[in-house]
Amino acid sequence: MHGMTRLGAVALALSTALIGGAIALAAPQRAITIAGSDNTFDKTELTADPGEELDITFVGVGFTSAHSIRFDLGGGNTVGTEPATLGVSHKLKFNAPVEPGLYDYYCDVGNHRQLGMTGTLIVGSPGQAARVVPVEGSNYKYVPSEIVATPGEALDVQFKNVQGTHDIVFDLDAGRQEKTARIQAGSEASLKFNAPVTPGTYDYYCTVGMHRANGMFGTLVVAAPPERRKVTIVGTNFAYDPNRVTVRPSEPVTIEFKNDMGFHDIVFELDGGRKLQTSRFQAPGTEDLVFDAPAAPGSYVYYCSVGMHRANGMEGTLVVEAEGSTPPPSLTATASPTPSPTAPPTVAVSPVVRDLRNPHGLWYQSVTFQGVAQAALIVSEGGTGAPKPGEFTPGSGDGRVQVLGLDNPALQLTIMDNMTNAIDPGAGIIGANHAIPWPLDPSTPPTSLSLLVAQSGGPGQLRPAEAAKILKVGLILGTPTVLADTLAYETANNPDGADPTQGGIDSNPWRLVPSPAGDAVFIVDAGANDILKMDPTTGALSTWAVLEPYEDGAQEAIPTGLAFSPVDPFTAYVSLLGGFAGPTGRILRLTDVNKDGDVLDENETNELVAGLDRPTALAYSPAGRLYVAELGARRISYVPELSATGGAVQTVPVVKGVSSVTAMVFEPNGDVLVTYDIDGPATGRPSQSPDTIGRIAAGAFDPSGVPTAVPTTPSPTTPVPTPTTPPATAPTTGHKIFLPVGLKLVPLGG
């Protein structure tokens, strides 16, 4: 829920700069990306070592005006970029001042600085006392005769003369000289200066008579900083390569994050609550993180903080390992629900449909096809097309919605195709999250039947125009129209009250769930952290539930699944994805106690389950039991339902080893269909984008000894006519509507 930055390709070369009366010589460059929007910088505080060479990429992301960045380095010396319009980048290289302190940077376009478009460059440790170095002088020597300092370090040489008349003079970099007055025995003098930024040896000596020739001299040793090991991590959708990096305790490390695809960042959670991260930026681009590895051996997580990218598998492990030792257990939080007495079995998943394009949603439907009643799935795919930075237009990707026969390969209807597939800064790929038929009345003729499609969304100023919409399209032939605009509703109402100036306006409709009465559709908005109630005829929206941030305010709720109780139409359950440092996902019970049409009143929201590892889907079995799929734990668990007055419960894992489940739906016979990554178990990947629909036999579910609710009613049967040849010319709305179309179907067990 933050703004977007994009890296450009315009470079501005700077030579060595004269700063504060001294030449700041080249030091290892550190890459920093800063975005300027209306009227603020995404980073309002930067830190640098004295004399450190900085490599700044400034990105303009303002809609109303161009912006620039200019640094005031003291002494009338400033460096800055030209103004950058939306999407344009400029490079800026310079050395930080050698004197510790606070230095302003700002936008020098118009009155933007006066409007608050400013930041602070913190050099060294401003306000912190210089290191005191006692030096004693006598005939004819200094004690000590060697002083060791780090580049640019602030020193306070306390010179005490115990014999004769002496002074102390330091010959430093580029002709710079620091010296005391000549003082008599018993006197003292103080000399404050910054060590040279260039490693090397520098003389200090006494200038009185022949004292230097007689041995009254010493050496200031400016030690080179420890050599940093450079590690390049490449980011794509949705993975890091490598996803495991091994270092030594306290080893100096430079992480070069190279974003090759999509809109990403990289965040390291280290020791003592230390958290380091790059900016979020659009591919292609590179940004560095410079830090010392934790001193304590262990495992530390790194991940992408954009949208649900981490939930989709974009994470890795920094292993701190002592010489010759075995890596200790992870230091990342690992709290989880108390395991059931019997560990869940690894259950075989039979692939039904393969080679899908990142399926997000499933809907089971009985249909009549070519005069025969049969089972089908409505499959919503986000798409997996290559990113096309800057091309936020329909037709650039392969998201789609299909109706697929579960046991009949001839039933293959593509309802929507060629959906926008450009890389969005928040939700990854813009395509279909979920589609359901409407109306649900089984007597509806197919020519009057439509699909409601949740078009994915996410934050970012350059999201495609199609993002975060509910579309309506005829099942047979038709032009998609916008039924409801969840992003517009979020912008106008902002139900969760997130700060709009901090990227709080966000929408990503993830699930569509019909009401128990069949008169409304509930929209689970993972971006807006709410559940909206929609009139499926008019598209009118209202707020049904608001999912508040976690207690500490540091973690958004991120709702993912919604299931209504089969025995109480006023009670539903919602899964919350939670955070990533540990299993913090939850399931909440939502009960419309006063039956006013929402669950916004006090005591209508209660926690049922805590400690889940990124739950993504909820579903009731035909026997009336509730199940939850966990992306992080790669498992499906039974969720006991206590009475409305009961407290939290403990889930019972029943299936494990299923990677990247983003959706699940039960068949009438109790088998469950899931989207999953068929290669995940073999490679050990905790989560990746799914590419397969698989079937898990009913025998793996419904553990013995648990209560059974009233069985649900199977889905109605809707006749579907035999496909006809598609029209020669596809609609020009940005989506192609046609049937039939081929898809590789793998027989059961294949």
Side-chain angles (χ1 to χ4, degrees):
M1 299 176 70
H2 297 274
M4 169 186 163
T5 61
R6 295 192 298 140
L7 292 183
V10 179
L12 176 62
L14 297 180
S15 60
T16 303
L18 183 64
I19 301 174
I23 296 293
L25 300 180
Q29 295 182 8
R30 180 158 60 93
I32 301 171
T33 299
I34 304 176
S37 60
D38 304 321
N39 285 297
T40 186
F41 295 113
D42 68 336
K43 294 182 179 69
T44 57
E45 185 175 287
L46 302 175
T47 60
D49 294 329
E52 181 181 5
E53 185 176 357
L54 302 177
D55 182 356
I56 303 291
T57 298
F58 176 68
V59 186
V61 293
F63 275 102
T64 62
S65 174
H67 298 287
S68 66
I69 189 168
R70 181 160 295 277
F71 289 81
D72 186 344
L73 304 177
N77 184 25
T78 68
V79 292
T81 68
E82 295 295 321
T85 55
L86 179 65
V88 174
S89 300
H90 292 312
K91 282 278 195 178
L92 181 65
K93 294 182 181 180
F94 63 94
N95 289 84
V98 295
E99 295 293 337
L102 305 178
Y103 299 84
D104 292 336
Y105 58 89
Y106 53 88
C107 175
D108 62 2
V109 174
N111 65 342
H112 294 185
R113 183 178 188 181
Q114 289 74 22
L115 292 175
M117 197 166 180
T118 62
T120 303
L121 172 64
I122 303 173
V123 177
S125 302
Q128 178 177 322
R131 179 163 65 95
V132 175
V133 181
V135 178
E136 189 175 275
S138 61
N139 289 335
Y140 297 97
K141 63 179 180 180
Y142 292 114
V143 178
S145 60
E146 182 177 281
I147 300 171
V148 178
T150 58
E153 182 180 7
L155 302 176
D156 183 357
V157 176
Q158 298 287 339
F159 177 51
K160 182 179 180 181
N161 186 12
V162 298
Q163 185 181 28
T165 299
H166 304 291
D167 61 7
I168 187 169
V169 178
F170 288 80
D171 285 342
L172 304 173
D173 47 348
R176 184 165 58 113
Q177 189 178 76
E178 301 287 347
K179 61 182 178 180
T180 67
R182 297 180 178 183
I183 58 175
Q184 301 295 319
S187 299
E188 297 182 4
S190 177
L191 192 60
K192 295 182 179 180
F193 61 92
N194 285 87
V197 295
T198 303
T201 57
Y202 301 84
D203 294 336
Y204 59 91
Y205 51 88
C206 179
T207 64
V208 177
M210 299 286 292
H211 293 191
R212 182 178 187 181
N214 288 331
M216 198 167 182
F217 59 85
T219 303
L220 171 65
V221 179
V222 178
E227 183 177 350
R228 291 189 176 275
R229 181 158 66 94
K230 187 172 185 178
V231 179
T232 299
I233 299 178
V234 178
T236 57
N237 287 336
F238 296 97
Y240 292 118
D241 183 17
N243 61 8
R244 179 185 173 95
V245 176
T246 301
V247 297
R248 297 303 179 195
S250 301
E251 181 180 2
V253 178
T254 296
I255 299 294
E256 180 189 50
F257 174 51
K258 183 181 179 185
N259 186 10
D260 276 0
M261 179 186 297
F263 185 82
H264 305 294
D265 63 3
I266 190 167
V267 182
F268 283 80
E269 291 187 357
L270 304 173
D271 48 347
R274 188 164 50 122
K275 186 175 180 180
L276 301 172
Q277 67 186 99
T278 66
S279 62
R280 299 175 175 186
F281 60 91
Q282 182 74 32
T286 301
E287 187 170 332
D288 290 349
L289 281 179
V290 180
F291 60 91
D292 292 339
S299 296
Y300 302 83
V301 68
Y302 58 89
Y303 57 88
C304 178
S305 70
V306 175
M308 295 180 66
H309 293 191
R310 184 178 184 185
N312 285 332
M314 199 163 182
E315 62 183 351
T317 304
L318 177 71
V319 179
V320 179
E321 181 180 342
E323 290 276 359
S325 65
T326 300
S330 171
L331 299 184
T332 304
T334 55
S336 60
T338 304
S340 57
T342 303
T346 300
V347 177
V349 183
S350 301
V352 178
V353 183
R354 297 183 62 170
D355 299 330
L356 293 173
R357 305 168 183 173
N358 191 20
H360 289 178
L362 299 175
W363 179 271
Y364 178 90
Q365 187 78 23
S366 297
V367 301
T368 299
F369 179 69
Q370 296 177 336
V372 179
Q374 52 195 278
L377 278 180
I378 301 174
V379 183
S380 305
E381 298 169 80
T384 58
K388 298 186 177 182
E391 297 184 21
F392 295 93
T393 57
S396 61
D398 57 358
R400 63 186 172 185
V401 178
Q402 301 189 96
V403 178
L404 304 176
L406 282 171
D407 303 302
N408 179 9
L411 176 52
Q412 307 166 26
L413 312 178
T414 294
I415 308 303
M416 299 179 69
D417 197 4
N418 202 33
M419 298 177 74
T420 299
N421 190 232
I423 300 302
D424 175 74
I429 295 168
I430 295 297
N433 275 341
H434 199 203
I436 65 173
W438 200 268
L440 296 176
D441 185 351
S443 64
T444 303
T447 53
S448 300
L449 193 63
S450 296
L451 292 187
L452 306 182
V453 181
Q455 177 94 316
S456 61
Q461 294 168 309
L462 297 183
R463 66 166 65 82
E466 300 94 325
K469 305 284 191 295
I470 307 302
L471 307 179
K472 184 176 182 179
V473 60
L475 178 64
I476 306 305
L477 287 174
T479 299
T481 60
V482 175
L483 178 63
D485 189 331
T486 58
L487 178 59
Y489 186 88
E490 161 79 353
T491 303
N493 298 277
N494 194 14
D496 67 345
D499 186 352
T501 65
Q502 300 298 316
I505 301 302
D506 185 4
S507 179
N508 185 24
W510 181 251
R511 286 282 180 267
L512 300 178
V513 180
S515 66
D519 59 351
V521 173
F522 292 91
I523 304 169
V524 180
D525 197 326
N529 293 310
D530 57 32
I531 301 174
L532 303 180
K533 187 176 182 180
M534 181 182 71
D535 183 322
T537 301
T538 66
L541 299 174
S542 61
T543 305
W544 186 71
V546 175
L547 293 315
E548 301 290 345
Y550 283 20
E551 288 79 1
D552 59 5
Q555 172 59 50
E556 298 175 30
I558 313 179
T560 54
L562 179 68
F564 278 88
S565 168
V567 296
D568 179 5
F570 295 99
T571 295
Y573 298 91
V574 60
S575 55
L576 307 182
L577 192 74
F580 303 102
T584 57
R586 302 179 181 183
I587 297 175
L588 304 182
R589 179 191 287 112
L590 309 176
T591 304
D592 186 3
V593 177
N594 58 8
K595 297 180 174 55
D596 63 350
D598 60 46
V599 288
L600 300 173
D601 301 300
E602 188 176 2
N603 298 323
E604 291 190 330
T605 300
N606 296 281
E607 183 177 288
L608 180 72
V609 179
L612 299 177
D613 195 349
R614 288 165 277 176
T616 53
L618 288 173
Y620 274 97
S621 72
R625 299 188 179 102
L626 182 62
Y627 292 87
V628 60
E630 296 172 77
L631 192 74
R634 298 168 59 196
R635 68 187 173 201
I636 300 173
S637 301
Y638 164 67
V639 183
E641 299 173 63
L642 298 185
S643 65
T645 58
V649 301
Q650 178 180 307
T651 60
V652 181
V654 294
V655 173
K656 70 174 183 178
V658 186
S659 184
S660 194
V661 175
T662 55
M664 65 176 175
V665 64
F666 280 89
E667 297 182 84
N669 67 355
D671 290 354
V672 68
L673 298 163
V674 297
T675 59
Y676 72 109
D677 177 6
I678 195 169
D679 297 319
T683 62
R685 294 178 297 189
S687 60
Q688 295 290 336
S689 298
D691 57 10
T692 303
I693 296 172
R695 177 183 278 123
I696 303 174
F701 293 87
D702 296 336
S704 60
V706 299
T708 302
V710 176
T712 56
T713 302
S715 302
T717 299
T718 300
V720 177
T722 302
T724 57
T725 303
T729 303
T732 58
T733 60
H735 304 290
K736 292 185 290 185
I737 313 302
F738 58 89
L739 66 148
V741 65
L743 175 74
K744 178 182 178 182
L745 292 182
V746 179
L748 294 180

